Amino acid sequence: ANFWLLINATDPAGQLQWLMGVLADAERDGEKVHIIGHIPPAHCLRSWSWNYYRIVNRFEGTIAAQFFGHTHLDEFELFYDEETLSRPVSIAFVAPSVTTYINLNPGYRVYEVAGSYPGSSHAVLDHETFILNLTEANAAPPGTPPRWQRLYSAREAYGLPAAFPADWDRLVRRMQDDEQLFQLFWFHLHKGHPPREPCGSPCKAALLCALRSGRTADPELCRPLRPTLSFPRIQELWQQRRLC
């Protein structure tokens, strides 16, 4: 709700210009970069989000991974080549929160990343999510230490051959037709404590569209999913689901 950003939504404070400079230096020196931020790109103002998307495309060979938070949920946002919007070039991992915001279990994520050695991709190879089951914790006798437990491993739970952008893109397409797989993702999305209201067809269409959307308000990113809903309706549904 910082309305001053609207005065220059293209690049407030020159942040994107700075980012391009850092990425250009890294590209020149043959380095890989991890981008760590708070608010995921698709949650940002439209012009900033689209410009960030272009930068990720330009430096796809340099950006090894992106990590964000903010939403309190366990999700991701995919990035595609700008020419065809069909080739996955990057993914923004959105980690769950340790807070209990909106009836969620506390959770945190551990990433497995390619090691630091000559020629390493420094890419994410897998990730695991751990939660504190509040129902179980509240039922325990006073003074009982909290018990964090492993909820799932991404590659194990979703049958991913690897954790590259193309693998997550295929997962979104598989979830379209595999309802059991989608409901498993819905369970993990909410850190083992999904809302009582189930995620039916409209909700599913909105969520799958959001997973493909690394930039704000682009109906073309959802088109390959053949949604039966209009894009404004999809946006409306997912805005209702957002916690932040």
Side-chain angles (χ1 to χ4, degrees), residues 69 85 109 177 179 196 200 212 216:
L85 293 180
R109 181 182 289 171
D177 304 316
E179 188 61 24
R196 292 181 181 177
R212 284 193 104 252
T216 304

Side-chain angles (χ1 to χ4, degrees), residues 2 8 64 74 113 136 150 153:
N2 183 357
N8 174 18
D74 186 324
V113 179
E136 179 184 284
R150 180 179 181 269
S153 148

Side-chain angles (χ1 to χ4, degrees), residues 2-3 5 13 43 46 60 73 77 116 131 187 201 226-227:
N2 183 357
F3 297 111
L5 293 177
H43 287 61
R46 188 179 190 277
E60 66 168 291
L73 301 175
E77 294 176 359
S116 184
I131 64 164
F187 180 76
S201 296
R226 308 179 307 278

Side-chain angles (χ1 to χ4, degrees), residues 11-221:
D11 187 14
Q15 185 184 41
L16 294 180
Q17 184 177 7
W18 169 85
L19 176 62
M20 286 191 66
V22 172
L23 291 170
D25 289 345
E27 181 182 64
R28 180 197 62 218
D29 297 337
E31 298 176 340
K32 296 294 183 180
V33 170
H34 287 169
I35 295 178
I36 304 174
H38 180 70
I39 299 177
H43 287 61
C44 297
L45 293 172
R46 188 179 190 277
S47 58
W48 189 97
S49 177
W50 282 56
N51 282 329
Y52 179 85
Y53 201 94
R54 294 182 66 189
I55 293 171
V56 171
N57 265 259
R58 165 62 181 81
F59 292 99
E60 66 168 291
T62 300
I63 299 171
Q66 304 178 63
F67 307 97
F68 294 90
H70 179 67
T71 72
H72 297 270
L73 301 175
D74 186 324
E75 51 188 326
F76 59 87
E77 294 176 359
L78 279 160
F79 290 67
Y80 296 86
D81 72 288
E82 287 197 294
E83 291 186 4
T84 68
L85 293 180
S86 62
R87 181 176 63 86
V89 299
S90 187
I91 180 172
F93 293 102
V94 183
S97 65
V98 179
T99 63
T100 57
Y101 189 51
I102 313 293
N103 298 319
L104 295 173
N105 288 318
Y108 67 88
R109 181 182 289 171
V110 176
Y111 292 94
E112 180 186 348
V113 179
S116 184
Y117 52 83
S120 172
S121 68
H122 295 283
V124 173
L125 306 177
D126 197 3
H127 65 65
E128 294 181 304
T129 295
F130 296 80
I131 64 164
L132 172 63
N133 187 314
L134 288 180
T135 303
E136 179 184 284
N138 290 332
T144 302
R147 186 176 72 89
W148 290 87
Q149 53 190 283
R150 180 179 181 269
L151 182 64
Y152 78 102
S153 148
R155 290 180 61 181
E156 178 185 306
Y158 303 131
L160 304 178
F164 301 134
D167 299 299
W168 294 96
D169 172 64
R170 282 190 289 269
L171 174 64
V172 173
R173 296 173 185 272
R174 286 167 54 208
M175 287 195 290
Q176 270 192 289
D177 304 316
D178 189 333
E179 188 61 24
Q180 185 175 359
L181 179 64
F182 174 77
Q183 292 302 329
L184 176 64
F185 182 85
W186 180 251
F187 180 76
H188 292 156
L189 177 77
H190 295 92
K191 296 179 284 186
H193 196 288
R196 292 181 181 177
E197 179 188 350
C199 187
S201 296
C203 162
K204 179 178 179 177
L207 173 54
L208 294 182
C209 177
L211 297 178
R212 284 193 104 252
S213 300
R215 65 186 180 192
T216 304
D218 184 2
E220 293 302 316
L221 290 168

